[in-house]
Amino acid sequence: MFNTLQQNFCSPLTLAFGLGIVAKLIRSDLALPRDAYSTLSIYLLLALGLKGGVELSHAALSEVWAPALATLALGVITPLTSYAVLRKFGRFDAADAAGIAAHYGSVSAVTFIAAQQFALSQGMPAEGYMSTLLTLLESPGIHIALLIGALQSSRDRLAVDAPAPRPTAEVVHEILASRSMVLLVGGLVIGYLTGPTGYEPVKPFFEGLFKGVLTIFLLEMGVMAAARLGDLRAVGVFLIGFGILMPIFHGALAVMLGHAVGMSVGGSAVLGAMAASASYIAAPPAVRMTLPQANPTYYLTASLAITFPFNLLAGIPLYFAFARWLGSGG
Amino acid sequence: MFNTLQQNFCSPLTLAFGLGIVAKLIRSDLALPRDAYSTLSIYLLLALGLKGGVELSHAALSEVWAPALATLALGVITPLTSYAVLRKFGRFDAADAAGIAAHYGSVSAVTFIAAQQFALSQGMPAEGYMSTLLTLLESPGIHIALLIGALQSSRDRLAVDAPAPRPTAEVVHEILASRSMVLLVGGLVIGYLTGPTGYEPVKPFFEGLFKGVLTIFLLEMGVMAAARLGDLRAVGVFLIGFGILMPIFHGALAVMLGHAVGMSVGGSAVLGAMAASASYIAAPPAVRMTLPQANPTYYLTASLAITFPFNLLAGIPLYFAFARWLGSGG
Amino acid sequence: MFNTLQQNFCSPLTLAFGLGIVAKLIRSDLALPRDAYSTLSIYLLLALGLKGGVELSHAALSEVWAPALATLALGVITPLTSYAVLRKFGRFDAADAAGIAAHYGSVSAVTFIAAQQFALSQGMPAEGYMSTLLTLLESPGIHIALLIGALQSSRDRLAVDAPAPRPTAEVVHEILASRSMVLLVGGLVIGYLTGPTGYEPVKPFFEGLFKGVLTIFLLEMGVMAAARLGDLRAVGVFLIGFGILMPIFHGALAVMLGHAVGMSVGGSAVLGAMAASASYIAAPPAVRMTLPQANPTYYLTASLAITFPFNLLAGIPLYFAFARWLGSGG
Amino acid sequence: MHTTVLSLLTIIAEAVLKERLIAELMQAGATGYTVWDVEGDGSRRLRSGDAPGENIRLETITSFEVADKLLEKLAHNYFPHYAMIAYTSDVHVVRGDKYV
Amino acid sequence: MHTTVLSLLTIIAEAVLKERLIAELMQAGATGYTVWDVEGDGSRRLRSGDAPGENIRLETITSFEVADKLLEKLAHNYFPHYAMIAYTSDVHVVRGDKYV
Amino acid sequence: MHTTVLSLLTIIAEAVLKERLIAELMQAGATGYTVWDVEGDGSRRLRSGDAPGENIRLETITSFEVADKLLEKLAHNYFPHYAMIAYTSDVHVVRGDKYV
Ligand SMILES: Nc1ncnc2c1ncn2[C@@H]1O[C@H](COP(=O)(O)O)[C@@H](O)[C@H]1O
Ligand SMILES: Nc1ncnc2c1ncn2[C@@H]1O[C@H](COP(=O)(O)O)[C@@H](O)[C@H]1O
Ligand SMILES: Nc1ncnc2c1ncn2[C@@H]1O[C@H](COP(=O)(O)O)[C@@H](O)[C@H]1O
Ligand code: NA
Ligand code: NA
Ligand code: NA
């Protein structure tokens, strides 16, 4: 375990994230231009989808349905547990609790990728259909949490001077037609249709450069996470604990579920990382638009400055170790 | 033929274009940042030029002159046929007809690239000097059409309150010094001077990534084409037919010309695609500046939302099939 | 020598720089978007640091200290010689002389990279620790020159209506925490920690694409240099001579120093190019902020439009030839 | 040159509101708008979305009545929850009849 | 602080016109300008160039006479054919003599 | 809609000054600012930094006193050395008490 952790710390990916944090802390002007950030994320998501699609073209449907159901179950459970814990133990009001729960009910694509790379580097790659699961986990949690938030807020009369509520159809559309969803699902379909032969000529671009691009991307994520570190005091000790313990709980749950439905060690570990991760791309605008009473400082700081680094540095090796332990007969 | 079409549909390039269209139709926020689009197009054009230049350094001048003359002939013929058809059968006024003709008299670099890749994938690559032909075809058609437009418009007294006409020298300069011209010609010269040895160290970048970058580029082209689909109704049935039949006519003509001057099957097919294609980068600003009376909805929609997708999906395989048929003795 | 020069002229790097110049001179609209320029420079600097760090992990500390001291000495000498020459022979006032000296006391990363690539292409690569030296040479010269400028300007009473002087700590921080410093040093540390095994998966990105990206970058540098050519008349004949002769002097000095401390031919040549080069990224904002009385036209034109092209085209082969001559026993 | 005095309404707000605010303008009777990305800071220090710190600046030239109606609506529906400022000034517009 | 009242002329137009409009300003006697990219929509819904929907916003601070002359010219030469709006407002400028 | 008349101070300056000018605004008592990148040209033709020709446009809505104090300071400390213009205009602000 210790060895694995050390290996994880010394990968260029983790170190680039650390460099981004350091850069921000010493108030460097280092920052990826906003448009470059968008472009790299388009690349990463499309590459992810393509690769998944090509591998899916080998997979039997019969392999996929049980993990898919497990993933959907996680999409329902994780926002509920998050909401309950935040309300009950954290004493957050309904809007804030729902806003945070929406983030922990969804998923971070970069955490997913990092987990996949980690499993690969341990010689136990995850299944080819994992990107399909990623798309399944992205949106349900957000909708469930927003629904709770809307219901509770109106009951609590918090929403007295709130703008007219947005039609649900609009929120659903926004997430399903969001950039990341379109790229992931679109990439899956393209990869599936072209198969390995069609994929060959674009492989040097989409696969050969993947880790390098991810290194640059994580550098910027480090800068962004560090920009929120100053808010750690504002969010308080409870949310810091939540941002570490909730992922461990969700991660462990998901690893067990993955194991139960017959996934490999690598697959269960990656599923664990997915469930443990908190969204910082899809969830924030959806929550801001629909639940403006929720304080963005809470959900952004928890998701980006606590849970993301925790998973990257320690969570992923942890879920992997647990999956391996389970896989070796517990 | 059917087999070829299907293969074309299932290439990542075509599918990425389709994904872009779908993304726009479901009102996704997916879009390549404007600066990324410019940067990728700089890459593609320079890579195109470089590759062409390196290959040109093997070619004998005696091989090139006949195809070059054929290309220049196409640069004169295609705007004239376009203009005549639009005036006579489409009943467009002089400015609109000239504006559209300028687009069909010029060339789309992405269509050219896609045709080149297609010929390659069919095992019948085009000649090394094709990018030279591309630069020859880019500008004459625009100038001819703009000239007709200016003459006719002033005769028709359409231009009563037009701004003072722009000096021709300015228009010529604009196109010859345009980004795409400089990159293509500059790349040709650089590639020619460095030759294969100098090209070697930059080859992984300019050649290894080419198809992948093109995939991302076509994704964005899909988004842009789809953004114009709403204007299809506005442009009317005639222009839709024009946007499909005119390319077939120009493409067939060019394939025959290519065959006649001794080009290979691949080369004639690519020449066909070039003549069939309509510009959407060089022509629009030139027309907008010089013939502001021409309605941009007509020329942009025809070129980007009709002819470009038609060529990408069906035109290129068609010109190729025709070239192969001619090549095999007709 | 002549052969080497010709080889240098015909590399894609030099030719791309030339193309950028031509593009600007014919008033083309070719320009890399500003954000793409930043992104590529992030890539180049990080790649530089990483590579250096990986190689440093093989190097013995005992090898590095003497070259490091030599580099620091150059960081002190070059701004002083520059200042003295500009004051004494150029009759520049204190602020202008200090402003220019700050640029020649620092270093141009692109010149460094081009020199490294050149040494490699000559089969005599520089030492692995060169990027460490680059970071050592970046800032001292700027600080020394700015200090002289501040002291002299206030003595000359030039600064009567100057804004309150900026605290030195602020200027130091700005340079040490600057983007290029963070990326270089950060890259070095990351490369050192990951070592060759960790570097392997990101190598296709950071090493395979390096020369290609540099080609595009030099294209833009050509555009930027050419944009300053119009100011050549304004800066006068003295500064033009200074921009060529001062680098030759500094380059020769550094090659001798490098040779004296036991560096290889390639290493001494690259050290020569570093000392000879003038900064156009770190120095300009530092000088503008701290010595606003210094005319930017002088330092930007000298550094970007004279010294940079000179080094790229002729200086680097020159320093290399000198280093080889010294290395072969003088 | 004959010009008409109209109201130039400027809104600076969180980028996440872009589409919604444009829709509000058009609904209220504005005939056009101009918008671009800006950075800024104010009393809320609130940011959201994947590009933190990003705001938009949205302008419309419109009649004094429409501008006033819009200010009213913004103050009531958006100011309590979102980082946003809004102000108007008078401008002299060529062919002003196009905008009312 | 002593300031001078001058005219701030704002033009929002298709990006393709950038160089031409800057040349018009300078020719008419403006001493400087500031320009940036914006998005927008209005009565024409016209767009052109390789970056659809792109406009520029061009501003110059100048004397009332120059501003008026420019409005006149724009209204006559450009308004009939291009997507464009133009308006002026009064601003208080430090060291206003620099701009006339 | 009830509005307050306040001063809108606009500064266009070399990009290198961004952080420093924002600090000056806040120090002088402004409660917020909005800033974006622009291009431009004027009497100095001075440019610096790695992105030549780049300027910023910085705006703050503030009381007339603060605006005047700032103009004074800019004219004295920055105008002699940097490419820069500054001007004010009056705007009608919703919830104007937030800004003073
Ligand atoms: N006094 C001000 N002057 C100019 N812009 C401001 C001012 N106050 C706020 N802003 C802008 O409005 C946005 C939201 O402000 P607030 O709601 O006060 O946080 C800020 O991010 C700034 O871009
Ligand atoms: N009422 C308006 N308010 C603000 N900007 C406008 C308005 N009308 C038009 N514009 C801008 O001016 C451009 C051209 O307008 P138009 O000529 O009406 O199509 C639009 O794309 C907008 O950026
Ligand atoms: N008359 C003007 N109108 C609009 N902007 C101007 C004007 N003069 C100068 N500027 C802007 O202010 C910057 C600095 O001006 P200057 O100090 O005159 O060189 C220029 O780069 C322009 O962006
Ligand atoms: Na989750
Ligand atoms: Na054509
Ligand atoms: Na130097």
Side-chain angles (χ1 to χ4, degrees):
Chain A
M1 181 71 214
F2 175 73
N3 203 15
T4 321
L5 262 181
Q6 197 199 352
Q7 230 176 302
N8 192 40
F9 279 143
C10 282
S11 95
L13 300 181
T14 321
L15 289 168
F17 182 74
L19 178 58
I21 291 184
V22 170
K24 189 75 192 178
L25 291 184
I26 64 170
R27 291 179 302 118
S28 166
D29 60 345
L30 175 65
L32 207 60
R34 193 177 297 161
D35 284 354
Y37 178 82
S38 305
T39 307
L40 294 191
S41 75
I42 289 176
Y43 167 86
L44 289 172
L45 290 164
L46 187 60
L48 200 66
L50 276 177
K51 183 85 194 306
V54 171
E55 286 179 13
L56 203 59
S57 67
H58 306 305
L61 185 65
S62 60
E63 278 179 62
V64 183
W65 71 264
L69 278 186
T71 305
L72 284 176
L74 288 166
V76 177
I77 297 167
T78 52
L80 295 178
T81 49
S82 303
Y83 184 80
V85 168
L86 288 161
R87 285 288 268 171
K88 188 124 195 169
F89 304 110
R91 314 233 143 268
F92 282 93
D93 70 33
D96 281 330
I100 303 171
H103 287 69
Y104 284 83
S106 181
V107 67
S108 143
V110 179
T111 307
F112 167 78
I113 295 174
Q116 234 187 1
Q117 302 286 343
F118 184 82
L120 196 70
S121 78
Q122 301 296 311
M124 301 184 123
E127 278 80 357
Y129 53 70
M130 293 306 297
S131 352
T132 315
L133 303 190
L134 179 67
T135 64
L136 291 178
L137 193 53
E138 179 141 21
S139 68
I142 299 180
H143 299 135
I144 290 170
L146 289 182
L147 192 70
I148 301 174
L151 295 176
Q152 285 298 111
S153 298
S154 66
R155 205 205 291 160
D156 299 1
R157 308 215 173 281
L158 272 173
V160 159
D161 58 354
R166 300 173 66 222
T168 319
E170 214 178 277
V171 182
V172 173
H173 170 266
E174 217 155 73
I175 295 172
L176 291 185
S178 73
R179 203 175 62 179
S180 41
M181 211 60 172
V182 167
L183 287 166
L184 271 175
V185 174
L188 277 170
V189 173
I190 295 181
Y192 189 86
L193 289 178
T194 58
T197 337
Y199 181 57
E200 201 56 45
V202 298
K203 198 171 163 177
F205 180 70
F206 285 112
E207 212 163 317
L209 308 184
F210 195 79
K211 278 208 173 175
V213 172
L214 190 57
T215 306
I216 301 258
F217 198 79
L218 279 167
L219 180 69
E220 176 64 15
M221 295 273 318
V223 173
M224 285 165 56
R228 300 237 144 241
L229 284 182
D231 288 331
L232 277 188
R233 193 157 312 157
V235 303
V237 133
F238 177 83
L239 205 53
I240 298 178
F242 176 89
I244 292 173
L245 298 177
M246 204 76 232
I248 295 182
F249 175 68
H250 288 157
L253 186 73
V255 169
M256 288 189 291
L257 255 175
H259 182 69
V261 300
M263 294 175 76
S264 71
V265 167
S268 311
V270 172
L271 189 66
M274 280 163 63
S277 73
S279 164
Y280 45 81
I281 292 189
V287 172
R288 188 79 190 116
M289 297 274 279
T290 311
L291 272 183
Q293 309 93 321
N295 185 345
T297 302
Y298 292 149
Y299 52 74
L300 287 175
T301 306
S303 159
L304 200 53
I306 305 170
T307 299
F308 180 74
F310 167 73
N311 277 329
L312 192 68
L313 299 178
I316 291 173
L318 200 66
Y319 315 137
F320 186 82
F322 183 48
R324 188 157 52 188
W325 181 76
L326 274 189
S328 68
Chain B
M1 180 74 214
F2 176 74
N3 203 17
T4 320
L5 262 181
Q6 197 201 351
Q7 230 176 302
N8 192 40
F9 280 143
C10 281
S11 94
L13 299 180
T14 320
L15 289 168
F17 182 75
L19 178 58
I21 291 184
V22 171
K24 189 74 192 180
L25 291 183
I26 64 172
R27 291 179 301 118
S28 166
D29 60 346
L30 174 65
L32 207 59
R34 194 177 299 164
D35 284 355
Y37 178 82
S38 304
T39 307
L40 294 190
S41 75
I42 289 177
Y43 166 85
L44 290 172
L45 290 165
L46 188 60
L48 200 65
L50 276 176
K51 184 85 195 306
V54 172
E55 287 181 11
L56 204 59
S57 66
H58 306 306
L61 185 65
S62 60
E63 275 180 64
V64 183
W65 72 265
L69 279 186
T71 305
L72 285 176
L74 289 167
V76 176
I77 297 168
T78 52
L80 295 178
T81 51
S82 303
Y83 183 80
V85 167
L86 289 160
R87 285 288 269 172
K88 186 125 195 169
F89 304 111
R91 315 233 145 266
F92 283 93
D93 69 35
D96 281 330
I100 303 172
H103 288 70
Y104 284 83
S106 180
V107 67
S108 142
V110 179
T111 307
F112 167 78
I113 296 174
Q116 234 187 1
Q117 302 286 342
F118 184 82
L120 197 70
S121 78
Q122 300 296 310
M124 302 183 123
E127 278 80 358
Y129 54 70
M130 294 308 294
S131 353
T132 314
L133 304 189
L134 180 66
T135 64
L136 292 178
L137 194 51
E138 180 142 19
S139 66
I142 299 181
H143 299 134
I144 291 171
L146 289 182
L147 192 70
I148 301 175
L151 295 175
Q152 286 297 112
S153 297
S154 65
R155 205 203 292 160
D156 299 2
R157 310 213 172 281
L158 272 173
V160 160
D161 57 354
R166 302 174 62 224
T168 318
E170 213 177 276
V171 182
V172 173
H173 170 266
E174 217 154 73
I175 294 173
L176 290 186
S178 74
R179 202 175 63 180
S180 41
M181 210 60 172
V182 168
L183 287 166
L184 272 175
V185 174
L188 276 171
V189 173
I190 296 182
Y192 188 86
L193 289 178
T194 58
T197 336
Y199 182 56
E200 202 57 45
V202 298
K203 196 170 163 178
F205 180 69
F206 285 111
E207 211 163 319
L209 308 185
F210 194 79
K211 278 209 174 175
V213 171
L214 190 57
T215 306
I216 301 256
F217 198 79
L218 279 167
L219 181 69
E220 176 65 14
M221 294 275 317
V223 173
M224 284 164 57
R228 300 234 145 242
L229 284 181
D231 289 331
L232 277 188
R233 194 156 312 157
V235 304
V237 133
F238 177 83
L239 206 52
I240 299 178
F242 176 89
I244 293 174
L245 298 177
M246 203 76 233
I248 295 183
F249 175 68
H250 287 157
L253 186 72
V255 169
M256 288 189 291
L257 256 175
H259 181 69
V261 299
M263 296 175 73
S264 72
V265 168
S268 313
V270 171
L271 188 66
M274 280 162 64
S277 73
S279 164
Y280 43 82
I281 292 190
V287 172
R288 189 77 189 117
M289 297 273 278
T290 310
L291 273 183
Q293 308 93 320
N295 185 345
T297 302
Y298 292 149
Y299 52 73
L300 288 174
T301 308
S303 159
L304 200 54
I306 305 170
T307 298
F308 180 73
F310 167 72
N311 277 328
L312 193 68
L313 299 178
I316 291 173
L318 200 66
Y319 314 137
F320 186 82
F322 182 48
R324 186 157 52 187
W325 180 78
L326 274 188
S328 69
Chain C
M1 183 70 214
F2 175 75
N3 202 18
T4 321
L5 263 182
Q6 196 200 353
Q7 230 176 301
N8 192 42
F9 280 143
C10 282
S11 95
L13 299 181
T14 320
L15 289 169
F17 182 73
L19 178 58
I21 291 184
V22 171
K24 190 73 191 179
L25 292 184
I26 63 171
R27 292 179 301 118
S28 167
D29 61 344
L30 174 65
L32 209 60
R34 195 178 296 162
D35 285 353
Y37 178 82
S38 305
T39 307
L40 294 191
S41 74
I42 289 177
Y43 166 86
L44 289 173
L45 290 164
L46 188 60
L48 200 65
L50 276 176
K51 184 84 196 302
V54 171
E55 287 179 12
L56 204 59
S57 67
H58 305 306
L61 186 63
S62 60
E63 275 180 66
V64 183
W65 71 264
L69 279 185
T71 305
L72 285 176
L74 288 167
V76 176
I77 297 167
T78 52
L80 295 178
T81 50
S82 304
Y83 183 79
V85 168
L86 289 161
R87 284 289 268 171
K88 187 124 195 169
F89 304 109
R91 314 233 144 268
F92 282 93
D93 70 34
D96 280 331
I100 303 172
H103 287 70
Y104 285 82
S106 181
V107 66
S108 142
V110 179
T111 306
F112 167 78
I113 295 174
Q116 234 187 0
Q117 301 286 342
F118 184 82
L120 197 70
S121 78
Q122 300 297 311
M124 301 183 122
E127 278 81 357
Y129 53 71
M130 293 307 296
S131 353
T132 315
L133 303 189
L134 179 67
T135 65
L136 292 178
L137 193 51
E138 179 141 21
S139 67
I142 299 181
H143 299 136
I144 290 170
L146 288 182
L147 193 70
I148 301 175
L151 295 177
Q152 285 298 111
S153 298
S154 65
R155 204 204 291 162
D156 299 2
R157 307 214 174 281
L158 271 173
V160 160
D161 57 355
R166 301 174 62 221
T168 319
E170 212 177 278
V171 182
V172 174
H173 170 266
E174 216 154 73
I175 294 172
L176 291 185
S178 74
R179 202 175 61 178
S180 41
M181 211 60 173
V182 167
L183 287 166
L184 271 176
V185 175
L188 276 170
V189 173
I190 295 182
Y192 189 87
L193 290 177
T194 57
T197 337
Y199 182 56
E200 202 56 45
V202 298
K203 196 170 163 180
F205 181 69
F206 285 112
E207 213 164 318
L209 308 185
F210 195 78
K211 278 210 174 176
V213 171
L214 189 56
T215 306
I216 302 256
F217 198 79
L218 278 168
L219 181 69
E220 177 63 16
M221 295 274 317
V223 173
M224 285 165 57
R228 300 236 145 242
L229 284 182
D231 288 331
L232 277 188
R233 192 155 314 157
V235 304
V237 134
F238 178 83
L239 206 53
I240 299 179
F242 176 90
I244 292 175
L245 297 176
M246 203 76 232
I248 295 183
F249 175 68
H250 287 157
L253 185 73
V255 169
M256 288 190 290
L257 256 175
H259 181 70
V261 300
M263 295 176 74
S264 72
V265 167
S268 312
V270 172
L271 189 66
M274 280 163 64
S277 73
S279 164
Y280 44 80
I281 292 189
V287 172
R288 190 76 190 120
M289 297 274 279
T290 310
L291 270 184
Q293 308 94 319
N295 185 345
T297 302
Y298 292 150
Y299 53 72
L300 287 175
T301 307
S303 158
L304 200 53
I306 305 171
T307 299
F308 180 73
F310 168 72
N311 277 328
L312 193 67
L313 299 179
I316 292 174
L318 200 67
Y319 314 136
F320 186 83
F322 183 48
R324 188 158 49 185
W325 181 77
L326 275 188
S328 69
Chain D
M1 187 71 205
H2 171 76
T3 57
T4 319
V5 177
L6 288 170
S7 188
L8 169 66
L9 166 64
T10 301
I11 305 168
I12 301 170
E14 305 180 32
V16 86
L17 295 175
K18 181 170 160 184
E19 306 304 333
R20 238 156 115 187
L21 290 175
I22 291 175
E24 295 274 11
L25 296 190
M26 297 324 245
Q27 225 171 284
T31 61
Y33 67 85
T34 299
V35 65
W36 64 93
D37 292 340
V38 298
E39 271 177 83
D41 212 343
S43 55
R44 307 285 171 117
R45 328 216 56 163
L46 280 193
R47 301 159 307 184
S48 71
D50 64 338
E54 194 179 330
N55 285 339
I56 52 156
R57 195 178 195 282
L58 177 59
E59 292 186 356
T60 188
I61 291 175
T62 190
S63 68
F64 290 92
E65 295 74 47
V66 169
D68 203 64
K69 195 166 68 179
L70 275 165
L71 281 186
E72 198 87 56
K73 194 153 194 189
L74 294 175
H76 188 262
N77 281 356
Y78 291 87
F79 274 54
H81 297 299
Y82 293 103
M84 178 185 288
I85 67 172
Y87 55 89
T88 60
S89 60
D90 297 357
V91 290
H92 303 262
V93 184
V94 182
R95 307 220 173 152
D97 40 314
K98 254 180 69 179
Y99 307 103
V100 288
Chain E
M1 187 70 207
H2 171 76
T3 57
T4 320
V5 176
L6 288 170
S7 188
L8 169 65
L9 166 63
T10 301
I11 305 168
I12 301 171
E14 305 179 32
V16 85
L17 294 175
K18 181 170 161 185
E19 306 305 332
R20 238 155 115 188
L21 289 175
I22 291 175
E24 295 274 12
L25 295 190
M26 297 324 246
Q27 225 171 284
T31 62
Y33 66 86
T34 299
V35 64
W36 65 94
D37 292 340
V38 298
E39 271 176 83
D41 212 342
S43 55
R44 306 282 174 117
R45 330 216 56 166
L46 281 193
R47 302 160 305 186
S48 71
D50 65 338
E54 192 181 329
N55 285 338
I56 53 157
R57 196 179 195 282
L58 177 59
E59 290 187 357
T60 188
I61 290 175
T62 190
S63 68
F64 290 92
E65 295 74 45
V66 169
D68 204 64
K69 193 165 68 178
L70 276 165
L71 282 187
E72 199 86 56
K73 193 155 193 188
L74 295 175
H76 188 263
N77 282 355
Y78 292 87
F79 274 55
H81 297 299
Y82 294 103
M84 178 186 286
I85 68 172
Y87 55 88
T88 61
S89 61
D90 297 358
V91 291
H92 303 260
V93 184
V94 182
R95 308 219 173 152
D97 40 316
K98 254 179 69 178
Y99 307 103
V100 288
Chain F
M1 187 74 206
H2 172 76
T3 57
T4 319
V5 175
L6 288 170
S7 189
L8 169 65
L9 167 63
T10 301
I11 304 169
I12 302 171
E14 304 180 33
V16 86
L17 294 175
K18 181 171 160 183
E19 307 306 332
R20 237 155 116 188
L21 290 175
I22 290 175
E24 295 276 10
L25 295 190
M26 297 324 245
Q27 225 171 283
T31 61
Y33 67 86
T34 300
V35 65
W36 64 94
D37 292 340
V38 298
E39 270 176 84
D41 212 341
S43 55
R44 304 286 173 119
R45 329 217 55 167
L46 283 193
R47 301 157 308 183
S48 70
D50 64 338
E54 194 180 329
N55 286 337
I56 53 156
R57 196 179 194 282
L58 176 59
E59 291 187 356
T60 187
I61 290 174
T62 189
S63 68
F64 291 92
E65 295 74 44
V66 169
D68 203 63
K69 194 165 67 180
L70 276 165
L71 282 187
E72 199 87 57
K73 194 154 195 191
L74 294 176
H76 188 263
N77 281 356
Y78 291 88
F79 274 54
H81 297 300
Y82 293 103
M84 177 186 287
I85 69 172
Y87 56 89
T88 60
S89 60
D90 298 357
V91 290
H92 303 261
V93 184
V94 182
R95 307 221 174 150
D97 40 314
K98 253 179 70 178
Y99 307 101
V100 287

